[in-house]
């Protein structure tokens, strides 16, 4: 992002990337089916439905059943993608995902949209800040949270090329496209250093990657060199990369649009506690519910934008310097 | 197959249930015994399956939505030849492929892992829908408990099955009238079961779940029913075949002790000799 005028940066919601890649994959994979629970317009699976109506199954407002139907389809060699809001597919249907998809390790791809607080005005009941935590506890489940539209498309493609259950987390709000460059490569399970640094490591996922880059820019102006790592695949986590960066900088900040309990921050701590303990500060939604407001206002209020991340990192660096 | 043959097999299934649950010192004999005739009819008469080729693409599918009655399914599968009958005694023991609830990754002949009530039916709907999408003509069967249909997910599944006109799908409700906490109508009545399914655009058939003439007729009627799924409500006796277990909710999830095991097996032996 550095060097670009912010107004020139293209902004697209990650769910758009999901919808467009589904259409693209539909041509190559005749055994692919897309299921929705009456949110096809919002989750963007409607794009697939327009092109492949016979392979788009609207299950109605019945997420638990949709999960099971997908398991049945997968047991016959079809590749179902199922979609709803994160709150309903990861939250409401958690046990169905665990027992009908996870336990038999069936080849079902879950595309969850409207994750996190950027759902915005709908408020707390629809703002799912717990889905990464829930999905991460299911043995064998891959969990991905793309940072932008480009990465969303790459993640969906990687998901279909992988045999087994995958949870993909997408957002409602448009966010800056930061990976639109010719040398961009995506590999499931691998994180990316998007900015090198030596004083502190910022590990971010989803919309917080853009914010972390902004924060790093500001920190640099004050002589703090921050390394920024984009983690799209939260499970399995790129432990090697996380440990190597922690060794280099000696302290880590995580940033995510998710509860600080159980998400990326916890995954990073699990790894560092075991392998290379360093001070860690987790930025995310504290142990609380969201509220109604526009996505932009909420991101600022919850301290997940560039300015908020900058402030938290600065305080953390000062605090850890004193020791 | 003659009814007498089916009755003899069902009696062996019941012996398998008692033997395995006794060996495990845990498990669910009541609902396994009530469904023994259904398991027998499905595997020895109704379904197109091949124990030598359990993953045959065009096979009919069965999902045991009331997964806790795995001892009944395991006994039927073993007698059909999917795995040795001798293995039934490993039920629920460390290292056995015969888990407390069916695991499709471990047990030959199990088409779907199940056990959490209400979930199996949805997977069966997915299979039936998949068959339609792929232009395959196999049929899908799923067995539910009458307590299980208190789960809301069953009705989500039924709604989609009716909406999608899945005439390749048969729900069977093992209506033995009892659940862990007592009589289903006392706990939270699911009745009328037939009318409920009819309201969800199913063809509903009531049968005596221990009468092979009625069972046969119902499955034939299900095959002949086009454009809508069928539900067969099998009126059964919980614990059927072991007199001291019959119609006793307390035998839902308890294993017989050695003495009770001997008595149950002796009774089943007598029934077998009488056939």
């Amino acid at each position: 992002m550095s060097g670009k005028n912010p107004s020139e940066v293209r902004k697209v919601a990650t769910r758009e990337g999901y919808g467009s890649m589904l259409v693209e994959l539909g041509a190559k994979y005749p055994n692919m089916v897309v299921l929705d629970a009456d949110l096809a317009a919002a989750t963007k699976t409607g794009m697939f439905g327009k092109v492949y109506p016979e392979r788009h199954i609207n299950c109605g407002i019945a997420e638990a059943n949709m999960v099971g139907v997908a398991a049945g389809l997968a047991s016959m060699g079809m590749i179902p993608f199922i979609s709803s809001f994160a709150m309903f597919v990861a939250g409401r249907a958690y046990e169905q995902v665990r027992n009908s998809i996870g336990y038999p390790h069936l080849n079902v791809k879950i595309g969850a949209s409207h994750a996190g607080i950027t759902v915005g005005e709908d408020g707390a009941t629809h703002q799912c800040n717990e889905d990464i935590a829930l999905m991460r506890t299911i043995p064998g489940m891959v969990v991905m949270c793309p940072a932008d539209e480009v990465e969303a498309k790459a993640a969906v493609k990687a998901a279909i090329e992988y045999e087994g259950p995958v949870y993909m987390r997408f957002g409602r709000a448009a966010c800056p496209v930061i990976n639109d460059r010719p040398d961009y490569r995506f590999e499931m399970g691998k994180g990316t250093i998007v900015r090198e640094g030596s004083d502190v490591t910022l590990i971010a996922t989803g919309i917080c990657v853009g914010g972390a880059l902004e924060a790093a820019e500001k920190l640099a102006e004050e002589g703090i060199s921050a390394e920024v790592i984009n983690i799209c695949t939260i499970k399995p986590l790129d432990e090697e990369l996380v440990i190597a960066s922690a060794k280099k900088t000696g302290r880590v900040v995580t940033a995510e649009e998710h509860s600080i309990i159980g998400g990326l921050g916890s995954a990073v701590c699990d790894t560092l506690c075991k392998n290379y303990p360093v001070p860690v500060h987790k930025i995310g939604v504290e142990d609380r519910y969201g509220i109604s407001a526009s996505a932009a206002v909420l991101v600022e209020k919850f301290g997940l934008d560039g300015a908020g991340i900058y402030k938290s990192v600065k305080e953390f660096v000062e605090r850890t310097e004193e020791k | 197959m003659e009814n007498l043959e089916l009755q003899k097999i069902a009696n062996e299934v019941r012996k398998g249930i008692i033997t395995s649950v006794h060996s495990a010192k845990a498990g669910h004999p009541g609902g396994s015994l009530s469904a023994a005739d259904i398991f027998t009819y499905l595997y020895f008469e109704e379904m197109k399956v091949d124990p030598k080729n359990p993953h045959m693409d065009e096979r009919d599918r069965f999902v045991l939505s009331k997964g806790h009655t795995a001892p009944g399914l395991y006994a039927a599968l073993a007698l059909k030849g999917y795995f040795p009958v001798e293995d039934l005694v490993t039920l629920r023991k460390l290292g056995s492929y015969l888990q407390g609830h069916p695991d499709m990754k471990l047990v030959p002949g199990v088409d779907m892992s199940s056990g959490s009530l209400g979930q199996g039916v949805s997977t069966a709907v997915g299979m039936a829908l998949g068959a339609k999408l792929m232009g395959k003509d196999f049929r899908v069967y799923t067995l539910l408990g009458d307590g299980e249909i208190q789960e809301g997910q069953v009705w989500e599944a039924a709604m989609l099955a009716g909406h999608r006109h899945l005439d390749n799908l048969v729900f069977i409700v093992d209506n033995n009238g009892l659940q862990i906490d007592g009589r289903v109508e006392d706990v939270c009545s699911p009745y009328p079961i037939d009318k409920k399914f009819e309201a969800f655009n199913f063809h509903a058939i009531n049968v005596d779940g221990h009468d092979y003439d009625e069972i046969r007729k119902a499955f034939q009627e299900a095959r002949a029913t086009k454009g809508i799924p069928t539900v067969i409500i099998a009126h059964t006796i919980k614990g059927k075949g072991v007199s001291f277990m019959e119609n006793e909710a307390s035998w839902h999830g308890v294993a017989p002790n050695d003495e009770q095991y001997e008595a149950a097996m002796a009774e089943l032996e007598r029934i077998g000799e009488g056939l």
Side-chain angles (χ1 to χ4, degrees), chain A residues 8 13 17 50 66 73 135 153 157 196 210 213 218-219 239 258 269 274 277 287 311:
Chain A
E8 290 168 12
K50 278 210 178 79
M66 174 175 71
L73 290 164
M135 292 297 109
K153 291 171 81 167
K157 189 164 177 289
E196 301 229 13
L213 282 168
K218 278 193 189 173
L219 290 163
E239 297 194 314
H258 184 275
C269 285
K274 187 177 167 191
D287 188 15
K311 190 164 166 276

Side-chain angles (χ1 to χ4, degrees), chain B residues 146 149 175-178 184-185 188-193 196 233 235:
Chain B
D146 50 4
I149 65 176
N175 188 195
N176 60 35
L178 295 170
V184 291
E185 64 261 53
C188 181
S189 178
Y191 297 119
I193 298 173
K196 280 196 179 65
I233 299 144
H235 298 265

Side-chain angles (χ1 to χ4, degrees), chain A residues 222 224 251 310-323:
Chain A
E222 296 176 21
I224 299 169
R251 57 193 156 193
Y310 158 79
K311 190 164 166 276
S312 293
V313 175
K314 183 121 194 301
E315 281 168 12
F316 174 67
V317 168
E318 283 166 2
R319 186 151 42 92
T320 45
E321 287 294 341
E322 286 164 13
K323 284 183 182 170

Side-chain angles (χ1 to χ4, degrees), chain A residues 265-292:
Chain A
S266 295
V268 166
C269 285
D270 289 350
T271 292
L272 291 178
C273 280
K274 187 177 167 191
N275 299 286
Y276 192 80
V278 295
V280 178
H281 178 72
K282 295 195 277 188
I283 299 173
V285 179
E286 300 291 325
D287 188 15
R288 58 159 294 178
Y289 293 101
I291 42 169
S292 286

Side-chain angles (χ1 to χ4, degrees), chain A residues 164-188:
Chain A
V166 178
Y167 179 81
M168 293 166 284
R169 181 184 216 243
F170 305 112
R172 168 180 179 250
C175 64
V177 176
I178 54 177
N179 289 306
D180 200 1
R181 51 175 200 272
D183 63 337
Y184 174 74
R185 295 284 176 275
F186 181 84
E187 192 181 337
M188 186 189 280

Side-chain angles (χ1 to χ4, degrees), chain A residues 67-68 71-72 95-106 108, chain B residues 112-113 119-120 123 153:
Chain A
V67 169
E95 198 238 318
Q96 282 77 12
V97 173
R98 181 201 186 270
N99 277 325
S100 290
I101 294 175
Y103 179 49
H105 200 72
L106 289 167
V108 177
Chain B
M112 180 54 65
S113 301
Q119 295 192 24
T123 67
Q153 188 177 346

